[in-house]
Amino acid sequence: AEAGIGIEKEEEFTSDEVREWCAPFKFNYDLSISKEQKRIKLSFSKTTPSGVLPPNCLELVPDIVCSEGGMVMTDGCGLISRDGIDFVWCSYKKYIQARESEYVQWNEKSGGDCQESSDDESLEDDVCPYTSFQGRIGGFKGMWVLDERLGDGIKVLCRYSQRKVNLPMRSFLSFSDECEKMGIHLKESDFDDLYDTVDVCSWDKRPKEGRLSLRTIQILEYRGVSIDFFKKCADDGTKWLSRLHEDSNALLEHVSKRHIAMISRDLRNNLNDVFDDDLLFRMACVKMEKSEPVYAQKILQLVRKEADAMRKKGRYPLKKCKQLRLIPDHTQLLEEGEAFIAVGYASGKSSIIKDIEKSDYALAMRSPAYFGGDLVKLKLVNRKTLRLRAAHQVKVNGSFFLSKTCSVYDETDDDPYRFFDDLNVGLVISSRGGRSAADMMSGGDFDGDEAWVCWNTDLCKLVQDHPAQDTSTPEFVVDKARQEKILACRVSLKQRAEFALHYRYHQTQLGKLSTTLDSAMDRFGVDSPESIIIATQAFLQVDHPYKLCEIKQD
């Protein structure tokens, strides 16, 4: 709506004005209609404004690129200094606290008696407790990871792959020079503080427990895992449900995790579930007697819900397994096929650290997975090995040339091992070799993608090696539709609406293809011609959502 009921006169804006602000034609004259709509869509994702960056603190640096083939190995991930991430964190806190204060005042005026609370003790700390965040900074999007080697001051490094829209940003170090080279006259009126605002989507909070799923089970079975392993998982799941029903401490631990997940979701959805979870959490916290009827009923409902999820979706718990964000190795200390798991280091959970240090390999897979090769096996490298490699590097070369990011902030005496030592949570993947392991996992990248990661030694031994799917072959090359290639500046409002509706329709096909793929894998097998055809079309539907991928009836 541009005008009408609920919109004040001074708040009226046309869709053209909004579009021009999100992607100014002056700086984005070569955007196609397809790219323009994808870029503008980013501005409407849910984020928290977390401070306006000061002038000349953001620098654009090249990605790490494979020497053969030119594949980008750091796609979607930049770096930020300690002062930079602390600034973002403090600004984030101020916004959250101001929002809660406004809510309390509004609630008091309206005669309500409930209060909103962030339930986050870390909000009291001015030093950021996290080491990475996903979000947007002006025309850049993706992940930013703490790198203490950048030194003092607010410093943000953005990779070329993170740049989605050209916006006039005062914080952007070389933007004026770029405009001068392109013959664009930059005026003071072009700038806007909102272009320099850091919009945080999420922090690297405690990783979720990894579980099996229908697709995971299908691919693990195809890769050589026996039925006996899955039976054991089912038995462990049954025992866990029993503990949930009988052990108050196990119940409290589980509902606490659900509560943390609940307050991070949009509370407007599933209000009944939110109320039930919150009530059960409060009852468990005060150690209520299980004989209390309402409490007993809520526990039983929770156990039944978890049992249904296990039985219908295969969501059995698995030890030594987490959902972790993918992070590229900006230092290149990791060799091809290697990885480093950071989980629990900052919180000092020695049991998790020891488990990881003892493991030689880890399995990783993104969701959705399409092919048997989307599950990758990575060789784990521990902190001691990385420390030795860093020391050897300086001994041989006299400087840490591999850790350089081609930035004005680069220094010659900084230890690249610090990048790993400072990291709280994530799966760090090697940026060496001919292809990134993230891309091997059904075309993933590092702009916030998560993966199912398991370092269970018994499972890793059972999984047989398998080549990743080659997505550079002709069947994976799709020519874009004519409607996608038209320049945005030459499209009418009617054409825009038609394009958006067509795009939305094709997005609905993804769910149908995914369900069909599950059925095909169950009936014919993961490597069957039927499954591979459907998997290929489902994969292409994600990368080319405008052009319908058709499957022949035979």
Side-chain angles (χ1 to χ4, degrees):
E2 297 176 345
I5 297 173
I7 300 175
E8 300 295 334
K9 193 68 179 174
E10 63 273 13
E11 294 175 332
E12 292 181 0
F13 290 98
T14 66
S15 60
D16 284 338
E17 288 174 319
V18 173
R19 185 167 48 82
E20 171 63 22
W21 187 89
C22 291
F25 171 74
K26 179 178 180 179
F27 307 103
N28 301 278
Y29 52 84
D30 57 347
L31 275 186
S32 65
I33 177 63
S34 173
K35 283 193 174 181
E36 186 202 58
Q37 293 217 359
K38 287 179 183 177
R39 304 303 187 243
I40 290 178
K41 185 181 177 183
L42 297 174
S43 297
F44 293 89
S45 57
K46 185 177 179 181
T47 57
T48 302
S50 305
V52 178
L53 292 176
N56 300 323
C57 69
L58 184 151
E59 187 186 0
L60 185 62
V61 298
D63 282 277
I64 297 174
V65 179
C66 169
S67 56
E68 297 180 11
M71 173 168 279
V72 175
M73 309 295 274
T74 51
D75 192 357
C77 187
L79 300 168
I80 188 168
S81 65
R82 166 51 68 185
D83 287 341
I85 201 167
D86 287 346
F87 167 78
V88 174
W89 171 244
C90 289
S91 303
Y92 175 89
K93 284 193 308 175
K94 287 178 183 177
Y95 180 84
I96 294 294
Q97 290 163 351
R99 189 190 69 175
E100 290 181 352
S101 177
E102 289 175 4
Y103 177 80
V104 170
Q105 291 175 9
W106 171 84
N107 194 54
E108 288 174 349
K109 287 180 182 178
S110 61
D113 59 354
C114 61
Q115 295 185 357
E116 186 179 82
S117 173
S118 61
D119 280 347
D120 195 340
E121 295 178 2
S122 59
L123 288 176
E124 300 173 4
D125 195 353
D126 285 342
V127 177
C128 183
Y130 309 115
T131 54
S132 66
F133 66 88
Q134 181 191 26
R136 299 192 309 270
I137 303 177
F140 301 91
K141 91 173 252 289
M143 287 274 293
W144 282 269
V145 183
L146 171 66
D147 192 346
E148 300 265 14
R149 299 173 301 156
L150 294 177
D152 297 332
I154 298 174
K155 299 170 184 176
V156 181
L157 297 190
C158 296
R159 300 284 188 181
Y160 287 167
S161 59
Q162 293 183 277
R163 194 174 190 176
K164 304 303 177 184
V165 180
N166 295 322
L167 295 177
M169 301 166 63
R170 291 188 178 90
S171 59
F172 191 173
L173 197 60
S174 59
F175 188 74
S176 298
D177 295 337
E178 284 189 5
C179 289
E180 192 174 332
K181 288 178 182 177
M182 292 188 292
I184 298 174
H185 178 60
L186 193 58
K187 300 182 295 184
E188 183 62 28
S189 59
D190 292 327
F191 293 100
D192 190 323
D193 281 351
L194 292 175
Y195 290 151
D196 294 285
T197 300
V198 180
D199 291 303
V200 173
C201 179
S202 60
W203 296 93
D204 63 354
K205 295 187 177 180
R206 186 189 311 173
K208 293 181 288 187
E209 297 294 328
R211 291 192 176 197
L212 293 174
S213 66
L214 291 180
R215 190 71 55 81
T216 309
I217 292 170
Q218 288 168 332
I219 291 178
L220 285 173
E221 187 178 27
Y222 168 68
R223 296 283 291 273
V225 179
S226 66
I227 191 68
D228 292 334
F229 181 85
F230 297 120
K231 285 181 178 179
K232 186 178 182 304
C233 290
D235 291 340
D236 289 343
T238 305
K239 291 175 185 176
W240 176 73
L241 287 175
S242 298
R243 284 202 309 274
L244 207 61
H245 191 263
E246 298 164 4
D247 185 347
S248 297
N249 292 327
L251 175 66
L252 179 58
E253 181 183 359
H254 181 63
V255 296
S256 296
K257 290 176 183 177
R258 286 178 64 93
H259 182 71
I260 291 171
M262 178 194 72
I263 60 177
S264 66
R265 293 198 304 262
D266 189 343
L267 301 185
R268 291 172 298 179
N269 296 327
N270 302 318
L271 290 177
N272 290 332
D273 289 346
V274 168
F275 176 78
D276 288 342
D277 279 6
D278 188 52
L279 181 60
L280 183 56
F281 171 72
R282 293 173 185 275
M283 287 176 163
C285 283
V286 298
K287 305 285 185 181
M288 184 172 285
E289 290 292 331
K290 288 191 175 181
S291 57
E292 201 283 325
V294 174
Y295 188 37
Q297 183 189 29
K298 296 297 178 189
I299 294 173
L300 187 58
Q301 287 175 350
L302 174 67
V303 171
R304 283 177 175 169
K305 187 185 295 184
E306 293 291 348
D308 284 344
M310 286 183 191
R311 186 172 63 252
K312 295 177 182 177
K313 300 181 180 180
R315 288 182 52 77
Y316 294 101
L318 190 59
K319 294 176 181 177
K320 302 180 183 180
C321 186
K322 300 280 186 183
Q323 285 286 135
L324 296 174
R325 274 214 177 120
L326 302 179
I327 297 173
D329 174 17
H330 293 271
T331 71
Q332 291 197 289
L333 283 179
L334 293 172
E335 298 293 339
E336 183 178 5
E338 292 183 342
F340 171 80
I341 295 178
V343 56
Y345 292 134
S347 59
K349 286 190 175 181
S350 58
S351 59
I352 299 179
I353 297 172
K354 287 177 182 177
D355 277 339
I356 296 172
E357 299 281 325
K358 290 177 184 177
S359 302
D360 295 324
Y361 291 92
L363 304 172
M365 185 170 68
R366 282 180 66 253
S367 179
Y370 304 104
F371 307 98
D374 287 350
L375 174 71
V376 299
K377 185 187 283 191
L378 301 167
K379 182 175 175 55
L380 291 181
V381 178
N382 57 37
R383 291 176 291 171
K384 182 180 178 181
T385 302
L386 289 169
R387 198 182 294 115
L388 289 172
R389 285 182 186 178
H392 175 73
Q393 186 177 308
V394 72
K395 183 178 179 181
V396 173
N397 303 299
S399 67
F400 294 105
F401 72 95
L402 284 177
S403 67
K404 290 176 72 65
T405 55
C406 306
S407 160
V408 295
Y409 304 131
D410 275 338
E411 297 180 21
T412 57
D413 299 322
D414 285 333
D415 182 357
Y417 170 70
R418 293 175 63 190
F419 175 77
F420 297 91
D421 200 35
D422 294 330
L423 192 63
N424 282 5
V425 177
L427 176 69
V428 185
I429 291 175
S430 172
S431 55
R432 291 173 173 270
R435 185 181 179 188
S436 170
D439 185 66
M440 294 179 190
M441 291 184 255
S442 55
D445 54 30
F446 301 100
D447 65 356
D449 287 11
E450 289 187 357
W452 175 89
V453 181
C454 179
W455 58 95
N456 184 309
T457 304
D458 294 335
L459 182 58
C460 289
K461 287 179 180 177
L462 291 172
V463 173
Q464 299 169 358
D465 292 334
H466 190 286
Q469 182 69 37
D470 183 3
T471 54
S472 62
T473 52
E475 62 265 30
F476 287 94
V477 178
V478 176
D479 292 330
K480 288 189 176 180
R482 180 184 59 81
Q483 294 93 327
E484 294 180 271
K485 298 178 183 178
I486 302 173
L487 288 178
C489 58
R490 298 177 181 173
V491 177
S492 67
L493 184 60
K494 180 174 181 291
Q495 287 174 304
R496 289 182 190 282
E498 289 174 347
F499 184 94
L501 289 170
H502 191 81
Y503 180 94
R504 178 177 291 184
Y505 165 72
H506 283 295
Q507 288 290 82
T508 64
Q509 306 304 304
L510 284 173
K512 296 177 184 177
L513 281 169
S514 181
T515 304
T516 306
L517 181 56
D518 279 336
S519 301
M521 284 183 171
D522 274 342
R523 183 175 176 182
F524 303 108
V526 171
D527 63 340
S528 65
E530 293 85 355
S531 295
I532 290 174
I533 288 172
I534 297 169
T536 301
Q537 300 307 326
F539 178 85
L540 292 174
Q541 192 76 16
V542 174
D543 282 353
H544 305 278
Y546 184 84
K547 189 165 184 176
L548 179 64
C549 299
E550 297 179 352
I551 301 173
K552 295 180 180 179
Q553 187 62 39
D554 60 352

